[in-house]
Amino acid sequence: IVMNCIVLTAKASSTQPWANGIPSTTCKSNGAVVVKAESLQEATQYTLTAYSTALPNERSASTSIFIIQTLDTRPSAAPTMLSATPSLFSASFSWTAIPQIDVNGVFNHYAIAYQRTDSPSPTTTSTQHTSITIRSLTFGTHYWLSVAVVASGGIGPNSTINF
């Protein structure tokens, strides 16, 4: 019995390779094809190209391309605080962006929270830049500020500084 089957070749569209070689393909007698891809990297797009075949070692032209996008996860690193510069009623902060590989998805913004140390709840804001100036602070009062990356997979760990 000659059975048609689909053979898959695969390539990661990003710099992340298939961690476990190409996916395995199993052809069922009813014509169904089962594809099993394991150890995929999070937040990575993979391309599967399908070839139909009737005999071993025989391939026809590509019949279709499938794009698989693994789920994004929350960022895995916190920004690194570089400086805090307080003045009378404001303070300016800067930090370094985390490496793209640690964003684990699509970058949205930085979540900023700051609070007087004697206050019950923080004030929150956001920015897409690696610096911010907080205004209307009380002179001579202790505060803390934290910054975290918000990406398509969620919010990452934060860096905190007291000032």
Side-chain angles (χ1 to χ4, degrees):
I1 295 177
V2 175
M3 173 177 77
N4 283 334
C5 186
I6 295 177
V7 176
L8 294 174
T9 62
K11 174 180 99 171
S13 298
S14 73
T15 58
Q16 297 295 321
W18 289 95
N20 224 10
I22 64 170
S24 62
T25 305
T26 306
C27 301
K28 302 290 186 180
S29 59
N30 65 359
V33 177
V34 177
V35 178
K36 184 177 183 181
E38 297 177 314
S39 303
L40 300 178
Q41 298 293 318
E42 297 166 338
T44 303
Q45 188 175 83
Y46 294 90
T47 302
L48 297 173
T49 305
Y51 298 88
S52 62
T53 182
L55 300 171
N57 302 322
E58 178 187 294
R59 290 184 180 181
S60 65
S62 175
T63 56
S64 60
I65 295 176
F66 303 93
I67 306 291
I68 298 171
Q69 175 70 42
T70 56
L71 295 176
D72 297 340
T73 60
R74 69 184 199 92
S76 55
T80 301
M81 283 291 193
L82 291 180
S83 69
T85 309
S87 63
L88 285 177
F89 302 106
S90 67
S92 296
F93 303 89
S94 67
W95 55 89
T96 58
I98 66 172
Q100 181 59 41
I101 190 136
D102 292 330
V103 174
N104 297 327
V106 177
F107 171 83
N108 291 328
H109 61 272
Y110 294 99
I112 310 293
Y114 63 97
Q115 178 178 342
R116 290 171 57 135
T117 54
D118 62 351
S119 175
S121 60
T123 301
T124 59
T125 189
S126 66
T127 182
Q128 292 190 338
H129 306 285
T130 56
S131 64
I132 192 167
T133 297
I134 306 295
R135 302 187 193 294
S136 300
L137 300 175
T138 303
F139 178 73
T141 304
H142 294 280
Y143 291 83
W144 60 259
L145 176 131
S146 71
V147 59
V149 172
V150 178
S152 54
I155 188 166
N158 63 36
S159 287
T160 301
I161 190 168
N162 294 308
F163 63 100

